[in-house]
């Protein structure tokens, strides 16, 4: 049932206007994980969802993220914008230095193909944090 809800919330064509909507769409997809998962919501130029990809899985406190794969999927989806997302199974919401570093790296890589990174949303059982809202994007 949670998977059906997650698919409906991430349905192609649904508009994502703010981090709270991104969190709402992703919580059923990411909150029940006991390991870190990194994904991307790919959007068109009007911020309608073109697709969601869970790209990388890690351990309880980290996941290796490769810019090449993120760029490849952005091109496959025909994205104009992207929202980076990952969970913190520990429940801790504070973005780490590694979170900020990968955000900057992915932003640079996606800019080369003219895809805007709108946000990086971290989700946990405690809620969510938006790097854009924190001024770290």
């Amino acid at each position: 049932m949670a998977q059906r809800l997650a698919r409906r919330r991430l349905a192609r064509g649904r508009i994502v206007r703010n981090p709270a909507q991104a969190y709402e769409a992703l919580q059923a997809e990411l909150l029940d994980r006991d390991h870190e998962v990194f994904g991307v919501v790919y959007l068109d130029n009007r911020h309608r969802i073109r697709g969601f990809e869970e790209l990388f899985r890690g351990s309880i406190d980290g996941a290796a993220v490769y810019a090449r794969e993120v760029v490849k999927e952005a091109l496959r989806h025909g994205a104009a914008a992207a929202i980076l997302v990952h969970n913190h199974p520990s429940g801790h919401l504070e973005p780490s230095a590694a979170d900020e570093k990968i955000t900057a790296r992915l932003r640079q890589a996606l800019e080369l193909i003219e895809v805007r990174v709108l946000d990086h949303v971290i989700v946990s059982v405690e809620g969510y944090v938006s790097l854009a809202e924190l001024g770290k994007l």
Side-chain angles (χ1 to χ4, degrees):
M1 184 123 161
Q3 290 300 322
R4 277 194 308 227
L5 178 62
R7 280 192 297 274
R8 220 173 53 225
R9 288 180 173 174
L10 289 168
R12 186 177 177 99
R14 184 175 174 162
I15 296 173
V16 179
R17 291 186 176 93
N18 56 53
Q21 285 180 321
Y23 171 68
E24 178 185 299
L26 294 161
Q27 66 186 29
E29 185 75 27
L30 299 177
L31 286 184
D32 65 342
R33 309 295 181 91
D34 60 357
H35 58 278
E36 200 163 290
V37 174
F38 186 96
V40 181
V41 180
Y42 296 103
L43 307 167
D44 67 13
N45 60 354
R46 295 173 71 189
H47 300 174
R48 292 177 299 203
I49 295 174
R50 295 193 56 84
F52 168 74
E53 294 292 335
E54 179 185 304
L55 295 172
F56 309 103
R57 292 178 185 215
S59 63
I60 192 154
D61 64 350
V65 177
Y66 301 98
R68 175 186 176 115
E69 295 301 314
V70 175
V71 169
K72 183 171 78 174
E73 289 299 313
L75 291 169
R76 187 174 73 78
H77 283 284
I83 299 173
L84 312 174
V85 298
H86 80 278
N87 66 325
H88 276 180
S90 67
H92 186 69
L93 278 174
E94 186 70 27
S96 68
D99 293 338
E100 292 178 29
K101 184 177 177 181
I102 193 61
T103 302
R105 243 180 73 222
L106 292 176
R107 187 173 178 199
Q108 288 175 338
L110 289 167
E111 280 177 356
L112 292 172
I113 60 166
E114 299 177 354
V115 174
R116 296 179 321 268
V117 174
L118 302 178
D119 206 345
H120 184 162
V121 178
I122 301 168
V123 301
S124 84
V125 293
E126 298 295 319
Y128 74 94
V129 67
S130 157
L131 271 68
E133 287 179 346
L134 294 176
K136 296 184 177 193
L137 191 65

